[in-house]
């Protein structure tokens, strides 16, 4: 009955480095959503993936950000050449099926700090 | 059109009192409205949710009131307890958009003993 697992919980990177955030959905869940929470702000949708497919990436910045959800293994959110403005908490959520009424279960997030 | 506006930003309530958080939306295509509770250092957890064809939904001490014509909905926490102190987010989603959540800005609730 493990919930959504995100790692690492905290990640520190220097400007220009790459950040790789991992999300293992709940067992039986094949839909993954990534959200970003900036300090003192609400959560902003970034991307929605189903196994091996990106369904909706309308919230992803056009450059430096990418996401994948391979057939085997966790979903990965990758940020290349990080900048100070990327400092935020990144949350992953998973659901069993697609649809508004399908509950999204959130992980405890990865706190990314850029030096 | 994609925004959900939430107020107040922060709220202090005495133990036993009623906490009320309000949200408003513009896009009438939204068809599902959940509320999430978030404790410091944790991810949001689904609290209660409502569809726009229902005017009220109650689960324990938590009630959602929904006014479709005004495009507003609110969360009421009855008999508020110190353990309810957390940040609350309203959200909205559309079935045909895969269920991605559009969140309000959040309300930090503090319940004083």
């Amino acid at each position: 009955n493990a919930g959504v697992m995100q790692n690492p919980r905290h990640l520190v990177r220097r400007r220009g480095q790459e950040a790789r955030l991992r999300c293992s959905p709940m067992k039986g869940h094949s839909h993954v959503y990534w959200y970003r929470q900036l300090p003192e702000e609400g959560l902003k949708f970034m991307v929605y993936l189903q196994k091996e497919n990106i369904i909706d990436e309308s919230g992803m910045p056009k450059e430096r950000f990418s996401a994948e959800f391979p057939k085997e293994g966790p979903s990965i959110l990758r940020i290349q050449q990080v900048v100070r403005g990327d400092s935020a908490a990144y949350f992953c959520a998973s659901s069993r099926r697609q649809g508004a009424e399908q509950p999204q279960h959130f992980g405890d997030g990865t706190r990314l700090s850029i030096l | 059109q994609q925004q959900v506006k939430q107020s107040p930003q922060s709220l202090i309530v005495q133990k036993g009192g009623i906490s009320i958080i309000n949200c408003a939306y513009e896009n009438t295509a939204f068809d599902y409205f959940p509320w999430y509770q978030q404790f410091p250092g944790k991810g949001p957890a689904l609290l209660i949710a409502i569809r726009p064809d229902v005017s009220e939904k109650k689960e324990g001490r938590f009630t959602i009131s929904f006014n479709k014509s005004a495009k507003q909905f609110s969360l009421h926490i009855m008999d508020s307890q110190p353990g309810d102190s957390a940040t609350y987010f309203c959200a909205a989603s559309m079935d045909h958009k895969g269920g991605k959540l559009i969140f309000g800005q959040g309300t930090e609730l503090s319940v004083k003993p």
Side-chain angles (χ1 to χ4, degrees):
Chain A
N1 285 336
V4 177
M5 302 300 292
Q6 289 189 249
N7 67 81
R9 289 296 312 277
H10 301 273
L11 182 61
V12 180
R13 285 287 178 266
R14 296 188 180 280
R15 281 178 295 171
Q17 291 184 320
E18 179 179 285
R20 195 171 291 202
L21 289 60
R22 293 175 184 77
C23 169
S24 296
M26 286 181 69
K27 188 176 181 180
H29 288 196
S30 59
H31 300 260
V32 165
Y33 304 80
W34 285 92
Y35 296 87
R36 177 165 63 176
Q37 186 173 34
L38 293 167
E40 308 302 324
E41 291 189 20
L43 296 95
K44 304 290 186 189
F45 168 78
M46 298 183 75
V47 62
Y48 163 39
L49 310 103
Q50 205 177 338
K51 280 287 188 182
E52 300 185 273
N53 291 303
I54 297 175
I55 308 300
D56 182 350
E57 56 181 349
S58 58
M60 287 277 271
K62 294 285 183 268
E63 297 177 350
R64 303 187 298 109
F65 285 72
S66 63
E68 62 179 14
F69 188 15
K71 188 176 181 181
E72 301 291 337
S75 175
I76 306 287
L77 179 68
R78 185 181 289 111
I79 311 172
Q80 296 177 302
Q81 299 174 341
V82 296
V83 301
R84 288 252 169 87
D86 297 333
S87 294
Y90 292 82
F91 290 95
C92 162
S94 73
S95 65
R96 187 176 298 276
R97 284 181 285 273
Q98 181 178 352
E101 285 196 53
Q102 294 299 314
Q104 290 186 28
H105 299 266
F106 282 77
D108 286 337
T110 294
R111 271 99 184 138
L112 176 63
S113 297
I114 309 302
L115 301 180
Chain B
Q1 269 238 321
Q2 287 290 319
Q3 277 189 320
V4 177
K5 294 184 179 179
Q6 182 173 346
S7 63
Q9 194 172 355
S10 62
L11 181 62
I12 299 175
V13 172
Q14 289 295 126
K15 179 183 175 182
I18 302 174
S19 304
I20 302 175
I21 304 170
N22 302 298
C23 285
Y25 63 99
E26 287 296 323
N27 193 339
T28 55
F30 287 134
D31 52 19
Y32 190 64
F33 300 88
W35 284 87
Y36 281 81
Q37 178 189 57
Q38 184 180 30
F39 292 103
K42 296 293 187 181
L46 179 63
L47 199 58
I48 186 173
I50 198 168
R51 278 227 175 246
D53 52 354
V54 176
S55 60
E56 186 175 282
K57 184 174 182 180
K58 184 177 181 179
E59 288 184 4
R61 295 185 294 109
F62 300 91
T63 300
I64 301 179
S65 296
F66 195 91
N67 186 330
K68 189 174 180 178
S69 60
K71 292 185 282 187
Q72 295 175 347
F73 58 110
S74 59
L75 176 69
H76 296 232
I77 307 175
M78 313 300 286
D79 187 26
S80 299
Q81 299 297 312
D84 296 330
S85 298
T87 300
Y88 292 81
F89 294 96
C90 62
S93 66
M94 291 178 255
D95 237 351
H96 72 281
K97 289 285 191 178
K100 71 179 183 185
L101 294 166
I102 309 299
F103 283 91
Q105 298 90 329
T107 296
E108 190 173 348
L109 172 66
S110 178
V111 181
K112 299 298 185 186

